[in-house]
Amino acid sequence: MRLASALAVLLLATPFCVEAQPTKQVTRIGFLGSSSAESDASRLAAFRQRLLELGYREGQNVVIDQRYASGKYESLPKLAAELIRAKVDVLVTEGTPAARAAKAATTAIPVVMGNAGDPVGTGLVVSLARPEGNLTGLSDFSFALVTKRLQLLKALDPSISHVGVLLNPLNPTNPLELKELQSVAPTLGVTIVPFDIRGVDDIERAYEATRRLRRGAVLIAGDALFGLHRNRIIALAAKSRLPTLYTARLHVDSGGLASYGTNFDDLFRRAASYVDKVLKGAKPADLPIEQPTKFELIINQKTAKALGLTIPTSLLLQADQVIE
């Protein structure tokens, strides 16, 4: 009788023991991109790799819910709202337009900027040291690098006297880049000719107009739109025989002449560390926004030869990679 009673108690207790086991928590990360999945593939891979190193395994204890605007910035508020409704624990943004949309969409969910050109100048945060609010992360420093890009373009072809600059008027960082370029251009003996770009037709018109200028060249501002249309830009640069300098190596890998800019893969690795800190309880307002530490100059010698350019040896020695 006593044995039967003990067994009955044990059987009754077993379900409660099972129910008492803690449920495995899955972290949900929202990834909001100004560009496309293809353009961001390398950055997201670096982000994922760092998360894995920190103990986050997709499909086990973390899910990354992705949304991409593909250069259509008007869709970003809707995409941000979708991620918020999905109850993400943290939002990671790619590009200044995505960061602005995330900021407008929520004050409660932490936002980690994977890259933003000038977070203070564009009004995303109060200061880099103390961002306040729910945003933190990394700046890609793009607006401050345009001066160096213009210098490099002049070094690639010292005869250049006019530089057509492709800008996206919907990107708040691009006007800052233009201002920087206009301030330094006279010291380099060049005239800046800005072009507002909203689509492929505008790109074609800009190249045609620059081709008619005396000793023209083209400089591409930092914006997702130009990454999405990089193949068309590269084809137009070759057809018009205009030296063109880009912001990221993706363009040079695709046949562009040269690029100088932030190593974005490194930024997104670091963004994963920010995510880890936030998930462990750190407040975004207490995490200073960091600047990039890795920059890269990539030169495509094959393209230079096709344009009839002889790249100075000093510049080749500075390059992080020369594509033959």
Side-chain angles (χ1 to χ4, degrees), residues 283-316:
K283 296 179 180 178
D286 296 332
L287 296 175
I289 292 170
E290 294 182 358
Q291 305 276 20
T293 57
K294 293 183 179 181
F295 305 95
E296 54 186 8
L297 170 62
I298 313 296
I299 297 173
N300 192 317
Q301 271 280 50
K302 182 179 179 180
T303 302
K305 290 175 182 177
L307 292 171
L309 294 176
T310 301
I311 307 296
T313 303
S314 59
L315 210 54
L316 293 173

Side-chain angles (χ1 to χ4, degrees), residues 240-281:
S240 58
R241 297 184 64 79
L242 289 172
T244 301
L245 194 72
Y246 306 88
T247 60
R249 68 167 302 147
L250 185 65
H251 300 83
V252 188
D253 288 338
S254 300
L257 174 61
S259 68
Y260 178 75
T262 302
N263 183 315
F264 287 98
D265 290 357
D266 180 63
L267 283 190
F268 278 83
R269 273 187 60 85
R270 292 162 65 188
S273 296
Y274 270 83
V275 168
D276 180 53
K277 291 176 183 177
V278 167
L279 292 174
K280 289 178 177 175

